[in-house]
Amino acid sequence: MTEYVSTTPGLFPLPDWAKDDLSDLKGHQKHDLISGEEGGEIATAYQDAREEVLEGQQEAGLDRIVEGQLRWDDMLAHPLAVHDAVETEGIVRYYDNNNFYRDPVVSGDLDFSGDVADELEAASELVDGDDLQAVLPGPYSLADLATDDHYGDDAEFLGAVADFLAGEVDAFPDHETLFLLEPSLVESAPEDGQDERASEAIDQVASATDADVVVQPYWGALEEKVYAHLLDADIDAVGFDFVANQDDNIYNIQEYGATDDVSLGLADGQSTLVEDAEAIRERVQWVEDQLQVTDFETVYLTTNTETFYLPYAKYEEKLAVLAEAADLAEVKAL
């Protein structure tokens, strides 16, 4: 029987009070963004905000609880932006939207940092280990978002980023699920040769945890070869953005098969229009009907993208809808 699990890919919006407080405490310029060395009132504000989003997910009834990644001023580039061997330089557009991040320029060896592990450790003190979900950028996306000024070779750089992420995962507290976010697999698809290396890099990070690993591409569907290579990685689930592209995602599954577990991005992480829970459940049914299978072991129900784009109140409503939709799908499957 399929288990339906409500979750999110993390990177939440800050609560309104925290946005105001941190704006006053940190300032408004590029050099005021998180460096990884913040303390005092800034650290306290983030801790209070973390507790609020953890409590909010628990109250909404989500099956997997994420730390929220509220400190990630540079979005998915964060783990490198706070690394000692990285200099942050000019502002770069974050994919094809109106958000920007500091260009992380890697100028030395990417050794262990522990920044994300510290965040997850703080969350683990407030969340049951069976519910905790870790979130990281996938190695291909993190390498794609960064500038290499040290390794000098694309393959070597990707391998170094994968080594770095695997080391971070190894330091994580117990967690049930790891989401690796890989929008660059869609937005900047790897070419021949790169696609196989991207899969190997994902496999390398996934091997660092005993948790279930979900690779979540978004903003469209993967090219066929990229998808086929991704299935070679030792992962538990591939994610599909059914908000941005239904036909090509269905085609990939029909043509190449799927992992035993899947993650369905069914709620729009960038739209303030809040979906109805019954409509989300019907979308799950639509996907299963298209595939003429109902035997996935686990189906994760999630937004298709991060939710930091949303006003805080809308983000809260999306969480409640996902939790209710998973419950509805579970009842229908009985």
Side-chain angles (χ1 to χ4, degrees), residues 35-95:
S35 67
E37 298 177 352
E38 69 278 5
E41 292 182 88
I42 294 176
T44 299
Y46 277 118
Q47 174 62 21
D48 291 345
R50 175 186 296 123
E51 291 178 8
E52 184 168 322
V53 298
L54 292 173
E55 184 177 343
Q57 293 171 84
Q58 291 165 326
E59 288 179 352
L62 285 180
D63 298 306
R64 294 288 184 274
I65 308 297
V66 302
E67 188 271 338
Q69 294 72 50
L70 302 172
R71 293 172 57 248
W72 293 24
D73 285 339
D74 297 284
M75 287 79 83
L76 289 183
H78 169 88
L80 288 184
V82 298
H83 195 285
D84 289 342
V86 175
E87 302 293 331
T88 54
E89 297 190 354
I91 295 295
V92 183
R93 183 178 294 274
Y94 184 64
Y95 298 107

Short mmCIF file of all heavy atoms in Angstrom, two decimals, residues 35-95:
data_model
loop_
_atom_site.label_atom_id
_atom_site.label_comp_id
_atom_site.label_asym_id
_atom_site.label_seq_id
_atom_site.Cartn_x
_atom_site.Cartn_y
_atom_site.Cartn_z
N SER A 35 27.12 35.70 7.00
CA SER A 35 28.49 35.28 6.75
C SER A 35 28.81 33.94 7.39
O SER A 35 29.85 33.34 7.12
CB SER A 35 29.47 36.32 7.31
OG SER A 35 29.40 36.35 8.73
N GLY A 36 27.91 33.47 8.23
CA GLY A 36 28.16 32.23 8.97
C GLY A 36 28.76 32.49 10.33
O GLY A 36 28.97 31.56 11.11
N GLU A 37 29.06 33.73 10.64
CA GLU A 37 29.68 34.06 11.92
C GLU A 37 28.78 34.94 12.78
O GLU A 37 29.24 35.54 13.76
CB GLU A 37 31.01 34.77 11.67
CG GLU A 37 32.02 33.89 10.94
CD GLU A 37 33.32 34.62 10.64
OE1 GLU A 37 33.36 35.85 10.88
OE2 GLU A 37 34.26 33.96 10.18
N GLU A 38 27.50 35.02 12.42
CA GLU A 38 26.60 35.89 13.16
C GLU A 38 26.39 35.37 14.60
O GLU A 38 26.44 34.18 14.86
CB GLU A 38 25.25 36.01 12.44
CG GLU A 38 24.41 34.76 12.45
CD GLU A 38 24.79 33.76 11.37
OE1 GLU A 38 25.78 34.00 10.67
OE2 GLU A 38 24.08 32.75 11.24
N GLY A 39 26.15 36.28 15.50
CA GLY A 39 25.90 35.91 16.89
C GLY A 39 24.96 36.92 17.53
O GLY A 39 24.31 37.72 16.85
N GLY A 40 24.88 36.90 18.84
CA GLY A 40 24.11 37.89 19.57
C GLY A 40 22.66 37.94 19.17
O GLY A 40 21.99 36.92 19.02
N GLU A 41 22.15 39.15 18.99
CA GLU A 41 20.72 39.34 18.69
C GLU A 41 20.32 38.73 17.35
O GLU A 41 19.19 38.27 17.19
CB GLU A 41 20.39 40.84 18.69
CG GLU A 41 20.48 41.51 20.06
CD GLU A 41 20.10 42.97 19.98
OE1 GLU A 41 18.89 43.27 20.10
OE2 GLU A 41 21.00 43.79 19.75
N ILE A 42 21.25 38.74 16.39
CA ILE A 42 20.93 38.15 15.08
C ILE A 42 20.71 36.65 15.22
O ILE A 42 19.73 36.09 14.72
CB ILE A 42 22.05 38.46 14.06
CG1 ILE A 42 22.10 39.96 13.78
CG2 ILE A 42 21.84 37.67 12.78
CD1 ILE A 42 23.24 40.38 12.87
N ALA A 43 21.63 35.98 15.91
CA ALA A 43 21.49 34.53 16.10
C ALA A 43 20.22 34.21 16.88
O ALA A 43 19.53 33.23 16.59
CB ALA A 43 22.72 33.99 16.82
N THR A 44 19.91 35.03 17.86
CA THR A 44 18.70 34.81 18.66
C THR A 44 17.44 34.96 17.81
O THR A 44 16.49 34.18 17.93
CB THR A 44 18.66 35.80 19.84
OG1 THR A 44 19.80 35.57 20.67
CG2 THR A 44 17.39 35.61 20.66
N ALA A 45 17.43 35.97 16.94
CA ALA A 45 16.27 36.17 16.07
C ALA A 45 16.07 34.98 15.15
O ALA A 45 14.93 34.52 14.95
CB ALA A 45 16.45 37.45 15.25
N TYR A 46 17.16 34.47 14.59
CA TYR A 46 17.02 33.30 13.72
C TYR A 46 16.55 32.08 14.50
O TYR A 46 15.76 31.27 14.00
CB TYR A 46 18.34 33.00 13.01
CG TYR A 46 18.57 33.83 11.77
CD1 TYR A 46 19.63 34.71 11.68
CD2 TYR A 46 17.70 33.72 10.68
CE1 TYR A 46 19.84 35.48 10.54
CE2 TYR A 46 17.90 34.49 9.54
CZ TYR A 46 18.97 35.37 9.47
OH TYR A 46 19.15 36.12 8.33
N GLN A 47 17.05 31.92 15.72
CA GLN A 47 16.62 30.77 16.53
C GLN A 47 15.12 30.87 16.84
O GLN A 47 14.39 29.88 16.74
CB GLN A 47 17.43 30.71 17.83
CG GLN A 47 16.96 29.64 18.81
CD GLN A 47 17.06 28.21 18.28
OE1 GLN A 47 17.82 27.94 17.35
NE2 GLN A 47 16.27 27.31 18.87
N ASP A 48 14.67 32.06 17.20
CA ASP A 48 13.24 32.24 17.49
C ASP A 48 12.39 31.97 16.24
O ASP A 48 11.32 31.36 16.32
CB ASP A 48 12.98 33.66 18.00
CG ASP A 48 13.57 33.89 19.39
OD1 ASP A 48 13.91 32.90 20.07
OD2 ASP A 48 13.69 35.07 19.79
N ALA A 49 12.88 32.45 15.10
CA ALA A 49 12.14 32.23 13.85
C ALA A 49 12.14 30.74 13.49
O ALA A 49 11.13 30.20 13.02
CB ALA A 49 12.77 33.05 12.72
N ARG A 50 13.29 30.07 13.72
CA ARG A 50 13.35 28.63 13.45
C ARG A 50 12.31 27.89 14.28
O ARG A 50 11.58 27.02 13.77
CB ARG A 50 14.75 28.11 13.78
CG ARG A 50 14.89 26.59 13.64
CD ARG A 50 16.26 26.12 14.10
NE ARG A 50 17.33 26.65 13.28
CZ ARG A 50 18.35 27.38 13.74
NH1 ARG A 50 18.42 27.66 15.03
NH2 ARG A 50 19.27 27.80 12.92
N GLU A 51 12.23 28.23 15.56
CA GLU A 51 11.26 27.57 16.43
C GLU A 51 9.84 27.81 15.93
O GLU A 51 8.99 26.92 15.98
CB GLU A 51 11.43 28.08 17.87
CG GLU A 51 12.74 27.63 18.52
CD GLU A 51 12.92 28.19 19.91
OE1 GLU A 51 11.97 28.81 20.44
OE2 GLU A 51 14.02 28.01 20.48
N GLU A 52 9.59 29.01 15.42
CA GLU A 52 8.23 29.32 14.94
C GLU A 52 7.87 28.49 13.70
O GLU A 52 6.76 27.96 13.60
CB GLU A 52 8.12 30.82 14.61
CG GLU A 52 6.71 31.23 14.19
CD GLU A 52 6.53 32.75 14.15
OE1 GLU A 52 7.10 33.43 15.02
OE2 GLU A 52 5.83 33.22 13.23
N VAL A 53 8.79 28.35 12.75
CA VAL A 53 8.45 27.58 11.55
C VAL A 53 8.39 26.08 11.84
O VAL A 53 7.62 25.34 11.21
CB VAL A 53 9.41 27.87 10.37
CG1 VAL A 53 9.34 29.33 9.98
CG2 VAL A 53 10.83 27.45 10.68
N LEU A 54 9.19 25.62 12.80
CA LEU A 54 9.09 24.21 13.20
C LEU A 54 7.71 23.94 13.82
O LEU A 54 7.04 22.96 13.49
CB LEU A 54 10.19 23.85 14.19
CG LEU A 54 11.62 23.84 13.64
CD1 LEU A 54 12.62 23.63 14.78
CD2 LEU A 54 11.80 22.75 12.59
N GLU A 55 7.32 24.82 14.72
CA GLU A 55 6.02 24.67 15.37
C GLU A 55 4.89 24.78 14.34
O GLU A 55 3.91 24.03 14.41
CB GLU A 55 5.85 25.74 16.45
CG GLU A 55 4.57 25.62 17.25
CD GLU A 55 4.48 26.67 18.36
OE1 GLU A 55 5.53 27.25 18.69
OE2 GLU A 55 3.38 26.90 18.85
N GLY A 56 5.03 25.67 13.37
CA GLY A 56 4.01 25.84 12.36
C GLY A 56 3.81 24.59 11.51
O GLY A 56 2.69 24.21 11.18
N GLN A 57 4.92 23.94 11.16
CA GLN A 57 4.81 22.69 10.38
C GLN A 57 4.15 21.59 11.21
O GLN A 57 3.35 20.80 10.68
CB GLN A 57 6.21 22.24 9.95
CG GLN A 57 6.88 23.15 8.95
CD GLN A 57 8.34 22.76 8.75
OE1 GLN A 57 8.64 21.87 7.96
NE2 GLN A 57 9.25 23.41 9.46
N GLN A 58 4.49 21.53 12.48
CA GLN A 58 3.89 20.51 13.35
C GLN A 58 2.40 20.76 13.51
O GLN A 58 1.59 19.83 13.46
CB GLN A 58 4.61 20.50 14.70
CG GLN A 58 6.04 19.97 14.60
CD GLN A 58 6.90 20.27 15.81
OE1 GLN A 58 6.75 21.32 16.45
NE2 GLN A 58 7.80 19.36 16.15
N GLU A 59 2.02 22.01 13.68
CA GLU A 59 0.59 22.33 13.83
C GLU A 59 -0.18 22.06 12.53
O GLU A 59 -1.35 21.66 12.57
CB GLU A 59 0.44 23.80 14.23
CG GLU A 59 0.87 24.08 15.67
CD GLU A 59 0.74 25.55 16.04
OE1 GLU A 59 0.46 26.37 15.13
OE2 GLU A 59 0.93 25.88 17.23
N ALA A 60 0.47 22.28 11.39
CA ALA A 60 -0.18 22.03 10.11
C ALA A 60 -0.37 20.53 9.87
O ALA A 60 -1.22 20.14 9.07
CB ALA A 60 0.64 22.63 8.97
N GLY A 61 0.44 19.72 10.55
CA GLY A 61 0.31 18.27 10.40
C GLY A 61 1.18 17.68 9.30
O GLY A 61 0.90 16.59 8.80
N LEU A 62 2.25 18.38 8.91
CA LEU A 62 3.15 17.84 7.89
C LEU A 62 3.85 16.58 8.42
O LEU A 62 4.18 16.48 9.60
CB LEU A 62 4.20 18.88 7.50
CG LEU A 62 3.75 20.03 6.60
CD1 LEU A 62 4.91 20.95 6.31
CD2 LEU A 62 3.16 19.53 5.29
N ASP A 63 4.09 15.64 7.52
CA ASP A 63 4.74 14.39 7.91
C ASP A 63 6.24 14.51 8.02
O ASP A 63 6.89 13.74 8.72
CB ASP A 63 4.39 13.29 6.90
CG ASP A 63 2.90 13.01 6.85
OD1 ASP A 63 2.32 12.74 7.92
OD2 ASP A 63 2.31 13.09 5.75
N ARG A 64 6.84 15.43 7.28
CA ARG A 64 8.27 15.68 7.36
C ARG A 64 8.47 17.16 7.72
O ARG A 64 7.86 18.04 7.10
CB ARG A 64 8.97 15.37 6.04
CG ARG A 64 8.96 13.91 5.67
CD ARG A 64 9.89 13.07 6.54
NE ARG A 64 9.89 11.70 6.05
CZ ARG A 64 9.00 10.78 6.41
NH1 ARG A 64 8.06 11.09 7.29
NH2 ARG A 64 9.07 9.56 5.92
N ILE A 65 9.36 17.39 8.66
CA ILE A 65 9.60 18.74 9.18
C ILE A 65 11.01 19.17 8.80
O ILE A 65 11.98 18.44 9.07
CB ILE A 65 9.46 18.76 10.73
CG1 ILE A 65 8.14 18.13 11.17
CG2 ILE A 65 9.60 20.18 11.24
CD1 ILE A 65 6.91 18.85 10.70
N VAL A 66 11.12 20.33 8.17
CA VAL A 66 12.44 20.84 7.78
C VAL A 66 12.84 22.00 8.70
O VAL A 66 12.00 22.60 9.38
CB VAL A 66 12.44 21.32 6.32
CG1 VAL A 66 12.04 20.20 5.38
CG2 VAL A 66 11.53 22.53 6.13
N GLU A 67 14.14 22.28 8.70
CA GLU A 67 14.66 23.36 9.55
C GLU A 67 14.19 24.72 9.07
O GLU A 67 14.05 25.65 9.85
CB GLU A 67 16.20 23.27 9.55
CG GLU A 67 16.89 24.19 10.52
CD GLU A 67 17.20 25.55 9.91
OE1 GLU A 67 17.26 25.66 8.66
OE2 GLU A 67 17.39 26.50 10.69
N GLY A 68 13.93 24.85 7.78
CA GLY A 68 13.38 26.08 7.22
C GLY A 68 14.36 26.90 6.42
O GLY A 68 13.98 27.73 5.62
N GLN A 69 15.67 26.71 6.68
CA GLN A 69 16.73 27.41 5.93
C GLN A 69 16.49 28.92 5.91
O GLN A 69 16.70 29.58 4.88
CB GLN A 69 16.84 26.86 4.49
CG GLN A 69 17.29 25.43 4.40
CD GLN A 69 16.24 24.44 4.85
OE1 GLN A 69 15.10 24.49 4.40
NE2 GLN A 69 16.60 23.51 5.74
N LEU A 70 16.09 29.47 7.04
CA LEU A 70 15.78 30.90 7.10
C LEU A 70 17.02 31.77 6.96
O LEU A 70 16.93 32.93 6.57
CB LEU A 70 15.06 31.21 8.41
CG LEU A 70 13.75 30.42 8.64
CD1 LEU A 70 13.22 30.66 10.05
CD2 LEU A 70 12.70 30.81 7.61
N ARG A 71 18.21 31.21 7.31
CA ARG A 71 19.47 31.98 7.21
C ARG A 71 20.02 32.02 5.78
O ARG A 71 21.01 32.69 5.54
CB ARG A 71 20.52 31.36 8.13
CG ARG A 71 20.23 31.46 9.59
CD ARG A 71 21.24 30.65 10.42
NE ARG A 71 22.62 31.03 10.20
CZ ARG A 71 23.52 30.24 9.61
NH1 ARG A 71 23.17 29.05 9.14
NH2 ARG A 71 24.77 30.65 9.47
N TRP A 72 19.41 31.27 4.87
CA TRP A 72 20.00 31.11 3.55
C TRP A 72 19.71 32.34 2.68
O TRP A 72 18.93 32.30 1.73
CB TRP A 72 19.49 29.83 2.89
CG TRP A 72 19.96 28.57 3.57
CD1 TRP A 72 20.36 28.43 4.87
CD2 TRP A 72 20.08 27.26 2.99
NE1 TRP A 72 20.71 27.12 5.14
CE2 TRP A 72 20.54 26.38 4.01
CE3 TRP A 72 19.82 26.76 1.72
CZ2 TRP A 72 20.76 25.02 3.77
CZ3 TRP A 72 20.04 25.40 1.49
CH2 TRP A 72 20.52 24.56 2.50
N ASP A 73 20.37 33.45 3.00
CA ASP A 73 20.20 34.69 2.24
C ASP A 73 20.52 34.49 0.76
O ASP A 73 20.00 35.21 -0.10
CB ASP A 73 21.14 35.77 2.79
CG ASP A 73 20.65 36.34 4.11
OD1 ASP A 73 19.44 36.22 4.41
OD2 ASP A 73 21.48 36.90 4.85
N ASP A 74 21.44 33.56 0.48
CA ASP A 74 21.87 33.31 -0.90
C ASP A 74 21.17 32.09 -1.50
O ASP A 74 21.68 31.47 -2.43
CB ASP A 74 23.39 33.12 -0.94
CG ASP A 74 24.11 34.38 -0.50
OD1 ASP A 74 24.18 35.33 -1.29
OD2 ASP A 74 24.57 34.42 0.66
N MET A 75 20.02 31.75 -0.94
CA MET A 75 19.24 30.60 -1.39
C MET A 75 20.12 29.35 -1.48
O MET A 75 20.88 29.08 -0.58
CB MET A 75 18.54 30.93 -2.72
CG MET A 75 17.37 31.90 -2.57
SD MET A 75 17.87 33.62 -2.42
CE MET A 75 18.08 34.02 -4.16
N LEU A 76 20.04 28.61 -2.58
CA LEU A 76 20.76 27.33 -2.65
C LEU A 76 22.28 27.49 -2.63
O LEU A 76 23.00 26.53 -2.38
CB LEU A 76 20.33 26.56 -3.91
CG LEU A 76 18.92 25.98 -3.90
CD1 LEU A 76 18.67 25.19 -5.19
CD2 LEU A 76 18.70 25.09 -2.69
N ALA A 77 22.78 28.68 -2.89
CA ALA A 77 24.23 28.89 -2.86
C ALA A 77 24.75 29.03 -1.42
O ALA A 77 25.97 29.12 -1.21
CB ALA A 77 24.59 30.14 -3.67
N HIS A 78 23.86 29.05 -0.43
CA HIS A 78 24.27 29.33 0.95
C HIS A 78 25.44 28.48 1.45
O HIS A 78 26.39 29.04 2.04
CB HIS A 78 23.06 29.15 1.89
CG HIS A 78 23.43 29.17 3.33
ND1 HIS A 78 23.52 30.34 4.08
CD2 HIS A 78 23.76 28.16 4.19
CE1 HIS A 78 23.87 30.04 5.31
NE2 HIS A 78 24.03 28.73 5.41
N PRO A 79 25.41 27.15 1.29
CA PRO A 79 26.50 26.37 1.89
C PRO A 79 27.89 26.81 1.42
O PRO A 79 28.87 26.67 2.16
CB PRO A 79 26.18 24.93 1.46
CG PRO A 79 24.69 24.92 1.28
CD PRO A 79 24.39 26.26 0.69
N LEU A 80 28.00 27.33 0.21
CA LEU A 80 29.29 27.84 -0.25
C LEU A 80 29.50 29.29 0.17
O LEU A 80 30.62 29.71 0.47
CB LEU A 80 29.41 27.73 -1.77
CG LEU A 80 29.59 26.31 -2.34
CD1 LEU A 80 29.78 26.39 -3.86
CD2 LEU A 80 30.78 25.61 -1.69
N ALA A 81 28.42 30.07 0.19
CA ALA A 81 28.56 31.50 0.49
C ALA A 81 29.13 31.74 1.89
O ALA A 81 29.72 32.79 2.14
CB ALA A 81 27.21 32.20 0.35
N VAL A 82 28.95 30.78 2.82
CA VAL A 82 29.46 30.95 4.18
C VAL A 82 30.72 30.12 4.42
O VAL A 82 31.21 30.03 5.54
CB VAL A 82 28.39 30.56 5.23
CG1 VAL A 82 27.17 31.46 5.11
CG2 VAL A 82 27.96 29.09 5.09
N HIS A 83 31.28 29.55 3.37
CA HIS A 83 32.47 28.69 3.52
C HIS A 83 33.74 29.55 3.56
O HIS A 83 33.85 30.54 2.85
CB HIS A 83 32.53 27.70 2.35
CG HIS A 83 33.48 26.57 2.58
ND1 HIS A 83 34.84 26.71 2.50
CD2 HIS A 83 33.25 25.27 2.89
CE1 HIS A 83 35.42 25.54 2.75
NE2 HIS A 83 34.47 24.64 2.99
N ASP A 84 34.70 29.12 4.38
CA ASP A 84 35.94 29.89 4.55
C ASP A 84 36.76 29.98 3.27
O ASP A 84 37.54 30.93 3.09
CB ASP A 84 36.80 29.26 5.65
CG ASP A 84 36.21 29.46 7.03
OD1 ASP A 84 35.35 30.36 7.18
OD2 ASP A 84 36.60 28.73 7.96
N ALA A 85 36.61 28.99 2.38
CA ALA A 85 37.42 28.97 1.15
C ALA A 85 36.70 29.64 -0.01
O ALA A 85 37.08 29.45 -1.17
CB ALA A 85 37.77 27.53 0.78
N VAL A 86 35.68 30.42 0.31
CA VAL A 86 34.85 31.05 -0.74
C VAL A 86 34.75 32.55 -0.49
O VAL A 86 34.52 32.99 0.64
CB VAL A 86 33.44 30.42 -0.76
CG1 VAL A 86 32.54 31.14 -1.76
CG2 VAL A 86 33.53 28.93 -1.08
N GLU A 87 34.93 33.30 -1.56
CA GLU A 87 34.71 34.75 -1.51
C GLU A 87 33.38 35.05 -2.22
O GLU A 87 33.14 34.53 -3.32
CB GLU A 87 35.84 35.50 -2.21
CG GLU A 87 37.22 35.24 -1.64
CD GLU A 87 37.37 35.79 -0.23
OE1 GLU A 87 36.70 36.80 0.07
OE2 GLU A 87 38.16 35.23 0.55
N THR A 88 32.53 35.84 -1.61
CA THR A 88 31.30 36.22 -2.30
C THR A 88 31.53 37.53 -3.03
O THR A 88 32.00 38.50 -2.45
CB THR A 88 30.13 36.36 -1.30
OG1 THR A 88 30.48 37.26 -0.27
CG2 THR A 88 29.77 35.01 -0.71
N GLU A 89 31.18 37.53 -4.30
CA GLU A 89 31.45 38.73 -5.12
C GLU A 89 30.14 39.32 -5.63
O GLU A 89 29.23 39.57 -4.84
CB GLU A 89 32.44 38.36 -6.22
CG GLU A 89 33.80 37.93 -5.62
CD GLU A 89 34.89 37.78 -6.64
OE1 GLU A 89 34.62 37.90 -7.85
OE2 GLU A 89 36.04 37.53 -6.21
N GLY A 90 30.01 39.53 -6.91
CA GLY A 90 28.86 40.28 -7.45
C GLY A 90 27.53 39.58 -7.26
O GLY A 90 27.45 38.40 -6.93
N ILE A 91 26.47 40.35 -7.47
CA ILE A 91 25.11 39.82 -7.36
C ILE A 91 24.71 39.15 -8.67
O ILE A 91 24.92 39.71 -9.75
CB ILE A 91 24.13 40.97 -7.03
CG1 ILE A 91 24.44 41.55 -5.65
CG2 ILE A 91 22.69 40.49 -7.10
CD1 ILE A 91 24.23 40.61 -4.50
N VAL A 92 24.13 37.97 -8.54
CA VAL A 92 23.75 37.17 -9.71
C VAL A 92 22.27 36.83 -9.61
O VAL A 92 21.75 36.56 -8.53
CB VAL A 92 24.57 35.86 -9.75
CG1 VAL A 92 24.24 35.05 -11.00
CG2 VAL A 92 26.06 36.15 -9.66
N ARG A 93 21.58 36.83 -10.76
CA ARG A 93 20.17 36.45 -10.77
C ARG A 93 20.02 34.98 -10.39
O ARG A 93 20.76 34.13 -10.88
CB ARG A 93 19.56 36.70 -12.15
CG ARG A 93 18.05 36.40 -12.21
CD ARG A 93 17.50 36.71 -13.59
NE ARG A 93 17.55 38.13 -13.89
CZ ARG A 93 16.60 39.00 -13.55
NH1 ARG A 93 15.54 38.59 -12.87
NH2 ARG A 93 16.71 40.27 -13.86
N TYR A 94 19.06 34.70 -9.51
CA TYR A 94 18.79 33.34 -9.06
C TYR A 94 17.83 32.69 -10.05
O TYR A 94 16.63 32.88 -9.99
CB TYR A 94 18.19 33.37 -7.66
CG TYR A 94 17.94 32.02 -7.03
CD1 TYR A 94 18.98 31.16 -6.73
CD2 TYR A 94 16.65 31.62 -6.71
CE1 TYR A 94 18.76 29.93 -6.13
CE2 TYR A 94 16.40 30.39 -6.11
CZ TYR A 94 17.47 29.56 -5.83
OH TYR A 94 17.22 28.34 -5.23
N TYR A 95 18.38 31.95 -10.97
CA TYR A 95 17.60 31.34 -12.04
C TYR A 95 16.78 32.42 -12.76
O TYR A 95 17.18 33.58 -12.79
CB TYR A 95 16.75 30.19 -11.51
CG TYR A 95 17.62 29.07 -10.93
CD1 TYR A 95 17.71 28.87 -9.57
CD2 TYR A 95 18.36 28.25 -11.78
CE1 TYR A 95 18.52 27.86 -9.05
CE2 TYR A 95 19.17 27.25 -11.27
CZ TYR A 95 19.25 27.06 -9.91
OH TYR A 95 20.07 26.08 -9.41
#
